[in-house]
Amino acid sequence: MKKFVKILAVVMAVVLSATLLYACGGKDSGDSTTAPAQSDASQTEAPAATNGKLIMATNATFPPYEYYEGDKIVGIDAEIGALIAEKLGMEFEIKDMDFNGILGAVQNGIADIGMAGMTVKPDRLEQVNFSTSYAKGVQVVIVKEGSDIASIDDLAGKKIGVQEATTGDAYATEDFGEENVKRYTNGAAAVAALQNGAVDAVIIDNEPAKAFVAENEGLTILETAYADEDYAIAVAKENTELLEKINAALAELTADGSIKAIVDKYIPA
Ligand code: ARG
């Protein structure tokens, strides 16, 4: 009996140390390219994801999803992105760029993910894969108070300001014609153009619209919304393993209330 206990203890010690070794190895592989699990992953993943760092491409002109607070990028996407990286055992870095450069950066491996209040849409699905959706967006119309534009139909023949390459740009161009659309590098510039009369309306996502209207006197959002959308995370087509991990992380962060807590922090009810 005594002998049996001793053998059991030895076996347990071996199992335990093997487990510890394994655990350490697993942890290390998070920031080392030499660990076997990691180099296997490098066969299927774009270059940037292999060094244990998750790089998020965004365009930080889009409150409350991504914007600057001092020299730091904050917002719903910045925080959800950081939590996903944490779940994946990876470091996290945000690369700020033009909105229309994000998908290219993801395709080229300059970034691992594109997260920018980005709407899932068919032409983008030809370029990248999207995660499950983590938020809803609505395209709305901002006008000056007292404007004769009271509904979407009244936009006919008016000058419409948009952020270049966004869904607002696509809808405005499709419905009201190229000649009536003025493109700006960010929503704030489009709103400034509305203020100084260069455009008659701005089509943009509802939450940034609310933020811009709150910062600017004399603007209002039309009650009729333009389009409902789903925001999701863009991942390179070949990076299917990362996409699966992100979807699993999103499911966990949804189930434990983390995503709701972040949204509620930036969009108080
Ligand atoms: N939801 C819109 C789109 O996907 C606008 C997103 C703009 N995002 C940004 N970070 N500027 O086209």
Side-chain angles (χ1 to χ4, degrees):
M1 181 68 184
K2 246 188 179 167
K3 202 173 175 189
F4 173 74
V5 170
K6 205 170 169 190
I7 289 168
L8 190 66
V10 169
V11 169
M12 277 176 69
V14 170
V15 169
L16 189 67
S17 54
T19 311
L20 282 174
L21 273 176
Y22 179 77
C24 291
K27 206 167 176 225
D28 280 345
S29 71
D31 24 48
S32 151
T33 44
T34 51
Q38 208 59 26
S39 49
D40 282 344
S42 71
Q43 317 272 299
T44 50
E45 290 182 7
T50 55
N51 62 358
K53 192 191 257 185
L54 187 74
I55 300 177
M56 164 178 147
T58 198
N59 170 249
T61 64
F62 201 70
Y65 292 94
E66 44 268 330
Y67 58 101
Y68 280 90
E69 221 169 66
D71 56 8
K72 196 171 180 258
I73 296 171
V74 298
I76 294 171
D77 290 342
E79 291 207 20
I80 295 177
L83 284 188
I84 290 172
E86 196 182 300
K87 282 250 177 246
L88 269 48
M90 296 169 99
E91 275 177 63
F92 184 56
E93 184 188 321
I94 299 179
K95 280 197 174 139
D96 190 17
M97 58 188 72
D98 284 347
F99 184 73
N100 66 9
I102 295 174
L103 292 185
V106 169
Q107 284 177 303
N108 297 335
I110 291 167
D112 305 301
I113 61 172
M115 208 174 172
M118 189 177 279
T119 304
V120 180
K121 81 197 252 288
D123 59 329
R124 290 177 182 165
L125 278 165
E126 281 172 20
Q127 304 174 62
V128 293
N129 284 330
F130 279 100
S131 70
T132 48
S133 175
Y134 63 91
K136 296 256 174 235
V138 183
Q139 293 298 310
V140 297
V141 181
I142 311 176
V143 295
K144 279 190 174 169
E145 274 168 10
S147 161
D148 58 356
I149 301 168
S151 72
I152 307 286
D153 293 340
D154 296 338
L155 287 171
K158 302 283 188 185
K159 292 279 173 254
I160 304 166
V162 296
Q163 180 179 16
E164 189 180 17
T166 59
T167 48
D169 181 357
Y171 298 142
T173 307
E174 231 171 82
D175 294 349
F176 300 103
E178 178 75 37
E179 68 281 9
N180 291 312
V181 179
K182 290 199 178 183
R183 304 191 170 89
Y184 298 89
T185 50
N186 58 66
V191 168
L194 175 61
Q195 286 289 39
N196 69 34
V199 298
D200 304 302
V202 169
I203 299 180
I204 195 164
D205 305 51
N206 58 331
E207 289 305 330
K210 282 194 229 162
F212 294 137
V213 166
E215 282 167 18
N216 286 270
E217 296 256 309
L219 298 182
T220 181
I221 298 172
L222 293 191
E223 270 177 34
T224 29
Y226 205 108
D228 291 323
E229 306 184 322
D230 291 316
Y231 293 166
I233 303 170
V235 180
K237 289 253 189 222
E238 68 271 22
N239 236 343
T240 50
E241 190 178 331
L242 180 65
L243 182 69
E244 276 166 31
K245 286 184 193 166
I246 287 172
N247 281 337
L250 277 174
E252 282 176 41
L253 293 169
T254 303
D256 72 7
S258 305
I259 289 183
K260 188 178 183 308
I262 292 170
V263 171
D264 289 350
K265 174 176 149 191
Y266 284 95
I267 309 177

